Amino acid sequence: FKRIYDSASPQDEEMPGVWQKWSSFQKCLFLRALRPDKCVQAIQKTVAETHGDRFIESPPFDLGKVFEDSSATVPLIFVLSSGADPTAIFLKFADDQGFGKKLDAISLGQGQGPLAERLITEGKDRGSWVLLQNCHLATSWMLTLERLVDSLDPEMVHRDFRLWLTSMPSATFPVSVLQDGAKMV
C-alpha cells in the first residue's frame, strides 16, 4: 500500500494481492480513505471505464450562444478550474461584439470592492460591460455583489449592460447570483 500512497497517480496503480479483485468503485472508496486528494481522479477513471469518456469531458462552451441567451440583469459567470483563464477568449469576443472599448475589467482582491461597485453602477447606466475577475478572492465583498446583482432592475438598467464574473468554486460566492446567472465551466 506504500507504493499506492507514494504514487503521483494512485488511481492508476494496481492493487496488491487479493485486493486486485476489487471493483473500480471499491478502489475509489479505498483511495478516499488513503489519498483523498486523488478521489476526483479515481471517480473520473471509474466513470470513464464503466460509462465512457463522454461522461467526464466538459462540453465546449459557446460564448456567443450564452451571450445570445443573456440579459442585462443576469450575470454571466465563468466558473474557473485550476489553470483555466478565459480572459483572452472573452476579450476577443468583446472586440467581436463591438464592446472592446466599452469594457471595464478589474481583478478583485483586497481593497478593490469600492472600485468594482463603481464600475457596475456606471456600467449599468452607460450600457458597458463589466468584468470582475477572481471573485473568490474578495470574500468580504460577496454580500455587496449579491446586493448589487439583486438590485438590477430591467426597467433601470441599460439594455447593453452585461456583468461578467470569474470565480473558482467558493463557499462564499453568493448562491443567488450563482443560481440566477448564466454559468460557463
Side-chain angles (χ1 to χ4, degrees), residues 116-153:
E117 186 168 0
R118 191 182 88 228
L119 292 176
I120 292 171
T121 302
E122 292 173 0
K124 67 182 185 179
D125 293 337
R126 289 191 338 238
S128 61
W129 288 5
V130 176
L131 171 63
L132 304 181
Q133 296 174 289
N134 301 317
C135 292
H136 59 282
L137 299 178
T139 56
S140 64
W141 192 71
M142 290 297 97
L143 288 175
T144 304
L145 174 64
E146 184 173 33
R147 179 182 49 79
L148 290 168
V149 170
D150 288 345
S151 71
L152 293 175
D153 180 356

Side-chain angles (χ1 to χ4, degrees), residues 4-5 7-8 10-11 27-43:
I4 296 171
Y5 181 81
S7 174
Q11 70 277 2
K27 289 177 189 174
C28 284
L29 294 175
F30 172 76
L31 272 179
R32 173 74 172 102
L34 187 68
R35 290 284 304 272
D37 60 312
K38 295 297 183 176
C39 194
V40 170
Q41 291 90 334
I43 292 170

Side-chain angles (χ1 to χ4, degrees), residues 36-141:
D37 60 312
K38 295 297 183 176
C39 194
V40 170
Q41 291 90 334
I43 292 170
Q44 288 176 329
K45 181 179 178 184
T46 299
V47 169
E49 287 174 354
T50 56
H51 300 293
D53 287 336
R54 67 187 182 115
F55 289 99
I56 62 165
E57 295 170 352
S58 297
F61 70 89
D62 182 349
L63 196 51
K65 178 72 175 134
V66 174
F67 177 72
E68 223 174 77
D69 294 339
S70 73
S71 73
T73 59
V74 175
L76 296 111
I77 306 164
F78 291 99
V79 180
L80 305 176
S81 57
S82 293
D85 184 8
T87 306
I89 295 167
F90 170 74
L91 293 175
K92 182 182 180 327
F93 180 75
D95 279 337
D96 293 346
Q97 297 297 313
F99 278 85
K101 303 269 190 245
K102 290 183 72 178
L103 167 66
D104 295 307
I106 184 173
S107 182
L108 293 178
Q110 191 168 359
Q112 297 298 325
L115 176 57
E117 186 168 0
R118 191 182 88 228
L119 292 176
I120 292 171
T121 302
E122 292 173 0
K124 67 182 185 179
D125 293 337
R126 289 191 338 238
S128 61
W129 288 5
V130 176
L131 171 63
L132 304 181
Q133 296 174 289
N134 301 317
C135 292
H136 59 282
L137 299 178
T139 56
S140 64
W141 192 71

